Amino acid sequence: MSSSLSSSAPFSLSKSQGRPLGQRLLILSAWLAFGLLLLLPLYVVLSEALKLGFGTFFSAMLEPDALAAMQLTLIAVGISVPLNLVFGVAAAWCVSKYEFRGKSLLITLIDLPFSVSPVIAGLIYVLMFGAQGWFGPWLLDRDLQIIFAVPGIVLATLFVTVPFVARELIPLMQEQGTQEEEAARLLGASGWQMFWHVTLPNIKWGLIYGVVLCTARAMGEFGAVSVVSGHIRGLTNTLPLHVEILYNEYNHVAAFSVASLLLVMALFILLLKQWSESRINRQRHNSAEE
Amino acid sequence: MSIEVSQVNKHFGSFQALKNIDLKIQSGELVALLGPSGCGKTTLLRIIAGLETPDTGSILFHGEDVSSREVRERNVGFVFQHYALFRHMSVFDNVAFGLRMKPKSQRPSEKVIADKVHELLNLVQLDWLADRYPEQLSGGQRQRIALARALAVEPKVLLLDEPFGALDAKVRKELRRWLARLHEEVHLTSVFVTHDQEEAMEVADRIVVMNKGVVEQIGSPGEVYENPASDFVYHFLGDSNHLKQGDEHILFRPHEVALARQAENDFRPAEVRDIRPLGAVTRITLKLDSQDEFIEAEVIKDHASLKGLSRGQILYFKPKANTPA
Ligand SMILES: Nc1ncnc2c1ncn2[C@@H]1O[C@H](COP(=O)(O)OP(=O)(O)OP(=O)(O)O)[C@@H](O)[C@H]1O
Ligand SMILES: [Mg+2]
């Protein structure tokens, strides 16, 4: 593959001479960096986790606090991802199909969570909903707790993952234009039918890709969640927070065992991402041939 | 169903795309909107369909104001310039779409839908393509599928935006004859957009000539060709020659010329610069001493004056009918 690429490039050297030295060095260093920064840690996590055998490995994972953390992570993911899906599709729809004032401002705002540090995002929620915050007294009166409770964690997760779906869909939908939707309306489809039968199938793979990225981020989020969580074991700890606590308690084996759980989930998501990406490329390729 | 467009104006920002458009289309008519690129043809068609709202004015179907009606309630068939077929649906599903979207109470059974779809695909002579996807079709095939899809919901009005725009000359010709025949069969009130005057002449009952957002003239192909309402219409509907005669300027078409080898009364001498056989007619390019602009003449190919004619010879010509410019 790479050799055929380089041989078709006009400036490449013949095959027998191979690549220029500079190119080889660059590729080598890329692999080296990748190995040092990604593969080695992966290996460390797994080997540390399995240091005392599978028994301790699994008991660390099945311990009640770990299970509670797992549950909370799944709740946070389960709420924030669907909400983001709806918001992302709605935002991308507005931006790509309508002309309105303040459109570029909206696009910029969608990106805000990418540029704001997650810790600050967490602090914003503390300032708003914490006991001393703006809405603190009001919430206190009604016995509602957001900060140091599940709603805060969901909100923080939601904030940091907002851009993923919308960002993925906007260029896709802009490229596809509005003609198919217009055709559907002319043929008598209602707004919902048009969305369901025409728009959604056209953005399906992009949407899946965005959701997968969003899920990965929601699962792994540490900073923002850490600020609003309060670290109450078994109650407001997500998996990443649980790992940190275990680690701080010098319980390395347990920390790495739980970490490897996150790792497995991440790898699974990576596979999903790869798959949806290849589907998008195929779709692009097809429409480019048109 | 008749269509009436009355006093329609449309701005895009500060740019006025349509100015005071008035138009009446009789039931069952096939009307061409003809005009140069950017003159507002698509905009007018989209306003009739309800895809765009006019700033002022109204659209009447069968005497009834539909300006406030939703697109989906207007019951118009629309064929887009670039087809806009649903890319993830097979040809069959594309054509069936309109029927399947009907409210439950009016929706035919899948069996009836299938029959109807095959009937339409047969009408456009593409039944064998039912299982293909749009990306696997040629441009002309997509065009016909788009038409079948539009016809499936039995619209009262058919609007076509440059239906043959993206096709090569031969397919274009075939398809427009086919469209004219189809129109004979189904007799829908149809409006089609084109910037090709030959196409408009050949297919339409009446032609609406547009320029820069205004209607220049409405009439039958014969009327607009023989009695153009303005210079613009005259020039747009065919090639024209410009002849200076003293202080007077004369406009005439290449075929409105008499040719002779010998000097005759009122005939003017000119040098033959080019001879082009174009099939049934031959085009001769003439150069006069008195003007830089060439004169083009078209005569039937076995015209007496052509016998043994070669470049550089002198030929005598006289404009037959003419319009003082
Ligand atoms: N959505 C829009 N926003 C701004 N300007 C527009 C819009 N749609 C059309 N216009 C302008 O209105 C004018 C008429 O456009 P229209 O598409 O109706 O032209 P047309 O006659 O169909 O041309 P063509 O033969 O090239 O398709 C053009 O100058 C175009 O730039
Ligand atoms: Mg147009």
Side-chain angles (χ1 to χ4, degrees):
Chain A
M1 169 73 197
S2 55
S3 69
S4 75
L5 261 185
S6 68
S7 64
S8 66
F11 49 82
S12 75
L13 305 167
S14 75
K15 243 188 209 168
S16 58
Q17 272 176 287
R19 296 165 177 288
L21 187 67
Q23 233 182 68
R24 268 196 278 179
L25 275 178
L26 209 59
I27 294 175
L28 188 72
S29 55
W31 274 109
L32 218 67
F34 178 74
L36 271 175
L37 296 175
L38 295 169
L39 287 182
L40 193 63
L42 238 159
Y43 170 77
V44 170
V45 168
L46 281 176
S47 70
E48 282 290 319
L50 293 170
K51 204 156 71 176
L52 302 180
F54 279 97
T56 12
F57 177 73
F58 282 117
S59 66
M61 274 200 261
L62 297 176
E63 179 237 356
D65 284 353
L67 283 180
M70 174 87 186
Q71 197 186 0
L72 185 58
T73 293
L74 288 182
I75 288 176
V77 169
I79 296 177
S80 63
V81 171
L83 282 178
N84 264 325
L85 191 148
V86 173
F87 166 76
V89 172
W93 180 281
C94 288
V95 166
S96 57
K97 314 261 164 175
Y98 301 135
E99 286 301 324
F100 56 91
R101 237 187 253 185
K103 189 159 134 174
S104 55
L105 184 69
L106 183 69
I107 299 179
T108 314
L109 281 179
I110 291 174
D111 275 344
L112 190 68
F114 274 162
S115 48
V116 171
S117 156
V119 176
I120 295 177
L123 281 174
I124 293 170
Y125 284 112
V126 172
L127 284 178
M128 273 165 61
F129 303 118
Q132 268 77 48
W134 285 7
F135 303 107
W138 189 89
L139 290 167
L140 217 57
D141 287 346
R142 280 153 193 80
D143 213 15
L144 294 171
Q145 190 157 21
I146 289 182
I147 299 306
F148 306 144
V150 177
I153 290 170
V154 171
L155 275 177
T157 312
L158 203 56
F159 181 85
V160 294
T161 51
V162 154
F164 286 95
V165 176
R167 264 283 138 217
E168 182 60 31
L169 289 185
I170 289 171
L172 190 68
M173 286 169 95
Q174 274 174 338
E175 184 188 306
Q176 289 178 347
T178 51
Q179 287 224 323
E180 284 183 47
E181 276 86 4
E182 286 181 346
R185 277 205 293 159
L186 285 159
L187 289 167
S190 66
W192 175 249
Q193 283 175 320
M194 168 183 81
F195 176 74
W196 189 253
H197 294 285
V198 175
T199 308
L200 203 57
N202 279 346
I203 61 169
K204 184 169 59 183
W205 296 110
L207 186 62
I208 292 177
Y209 181 70
V211 165
V212 166
L213 282 183
C214 180
T215 310
R217 181 64 200 265
M219 257 170 33
E221 176 52 29
F222 179 84
V225 169
S226 169
V227 176
V228 296
S229 134
H231 305 269
I232 308 165
R233 281 189 104 155
L235 277 180
T236 63
N237 267 346
T238 59
L239 274 182
L241 299 182
H242 189 61
V243 172
E244 197 213 9
I245 289 183
L246 290 173
Y247 186 80
N248 285 344
E249 290 170 349
Y250 301 104
N251 195 347
H252 290 186
V253 172
F256 283 115
S257 300
V258 176
S260 58
L261 189 68
L262 269 174
L263 207 67
V264 168
M265 285 164 40
L267 285 176
F268 175 68
I269 281 180
L270 206 65
L271 277 179
L272 273 181
K273 180 189 97 107
Q274 193 59 39
W275 175 65
S276 58
E277 211 168 21
S278 69
R279 295 302 298 245
I280 297 176
N281 283 338
R282 195 181 325 167
Q283 201 177 22
R284 285 245 168 83
H285 177 72
N286 281 343
S287 59
E289 262 182 359
E290 210 168 286
Chain B
M1 185 154 60
S2 65
I3 305 172
E4 196 178 332
V5 176
S6 91
Q7 285 302 305
V8 162
N9 282 282
K10 177 72 183 176
H11 289 259
F12 290 112
S14 60
F15 174 78
Q16 187 161 12
L18 292 177
K19 293 174 202 143
N20 293 327
I21 303 286
D22 273 311
L23 188 59
K24 275 201 186 94
I25 296 167
Q26 304 305 323
S27 189
E29 239 184 338
L30 176 54
V31 168
L33 291 183
L34 176 67
S37 184
C39 72
K41 306 179 297 285
T42 298
T43 307
L44 179 55
L45 207 65
R46 288 172 61 84
I47 286 177
I48 295 175
L51 291 171
E52 212 91 60
T53 15
D55 303 338
T56 65
S58 52
I59 307 292
L60 281 70
F61 285 176
H62 203 70
E64 189 187 342
D65 194 336
V66 293
S67 305
S68 58
R69 259 200 239 164
E70 262 265 6
V71 178
R72 54 188 295 234
E73 288 157 5
R74 290 201 190 185
N75 200 9
V76 297
F78 198 103
V79 177
F80 289 86
Q81 189 165 358
H82 299 288
Y83 329 122
L85 292 175
F86 304 126
R87 66 192 92 184
H88 64 278
M89 289 182 206
S90 68
V91 163
F92 182 96
D93 292 336
N94 261 282
V95 179
F97 185 86
L99 296 170
R100 288 182 177 153
M101 292 305 116
K102 285 185 185 294
K104 259 219 174 77
S105 56
Q106 299 163 33
R107 195 184 309 156
S109 69
E110 274 298 313
K111 169 85 182 61
V112 175
I113 290 178
D115 287 347
K116 174 104 195 177
V117 170
H118 285 296
E119 184 192 318
L120 282 162
L121 288 177
N122 278 320
L123 182 72
V124 297
Q125 296 155 5
L126 291 177
D127 198 30
W128 51 289
L129 288 177
D131 296 327
R132 296 246 196 122
Y133 281 82
E135 74 206 22
Q136 302 165 318
L137 304 180
S138 74
Q141 290 167 341
R142 282 179 210 175
Q143 190 62 64
R144 283 186 275 168
I145 298 302
L147 192 57
R149 180 179 71 176
L151 292 175
V153 288
E154 296 180 359
K156 297 278 166 35
V157 167
L158 185 61
L159 307 175
L160 307 114
D161 192 359
E162 307 216 14
F164 318 117
L167 307 172
D168 69 57
K170 184 146 186 329
V171 182
R172 225 178 141 102
K173 232 175 193 153
E174 265 168 37
L175 269 181
R176 74 188 184 217
R177 296 209 169 124
W178 177 84
L179 177 73
R181 275 201 309 277
L182 182 82
H183 185 259
E184 291 284 292
E185 276 174 45
V186 291
H187 240 73
L188 273 175
T189 310
S190 313
V191 182
F192 80 101
V193 163
T194 178
H195 54 240
D196 178 346
Q197 88 282 354
E198 204 186 311
E199 198 163 283
M201 292 286 194
E202 186 170 333
V203 180
D205 298 328
R206 278 198 306 155
I207 298 179
V208 178
V209 186
M210 291 180 66
N211 184 31
K212 294 184 182 151
V214 299
V215 171
E216 293 268 344
Q217 189 175 4
I218 305 176
S220 69
E223 276 164 23
V224 291
Y225 191 79
E226 298 298 338
N227 301 311
S230 63
D231 268 8
F232 172 82
V233 177
Y234 186 85
H235 285 287
F236 199 75
L237 286 180
D239 296 331
S240 54
N241 287 308
H242 201 159
L243 179 67
K244 267 185 258 175
Q245 214 159 27
D247 284 340
E248 238 182 31
H249 289 246
I250 295 175
L251 280 174
F252 59 97
R253 303 228 184 257
H255 70 268
E256 297 169 334
V257 157
L259 291 181
R261 294 296 273 274
Q262 263 75 47
E264 282 181 43
N265 218 4
D266 286 346
F267 278 54
R268 300 181 57 166
E271 185 194 333
V272 175
R273 283 292 173 89
D274 196 19
I275 306 168
R276 293 270 152 199
L278 301 175
V281 297
T282 299
R283 183 192 298 149
I284 298 130
T285 308
L286 299 168
K287 172 76 175 85
L288 274 99
D289 289 336
S290 57
Q291 67 181 49
D292 290 336
E293 233 178 291
F294 292 119
I295 300 287
E296 290 192 329
E298 283 178 12
V299 291
I300 48 169
K301 75 176 197 312
D302 42 12
H303 194 266
S305 64
L306 292 179
K307 207 167 281 168
L309 189 72
S310 63
R311 283 189 205 181
Q313 287 183 320
I314 298 294
L315 206 56
Y316 296 86
F317 77 94
K318 184 181 116 174
K320 277 194 273 192
N322 58 48
T323 319

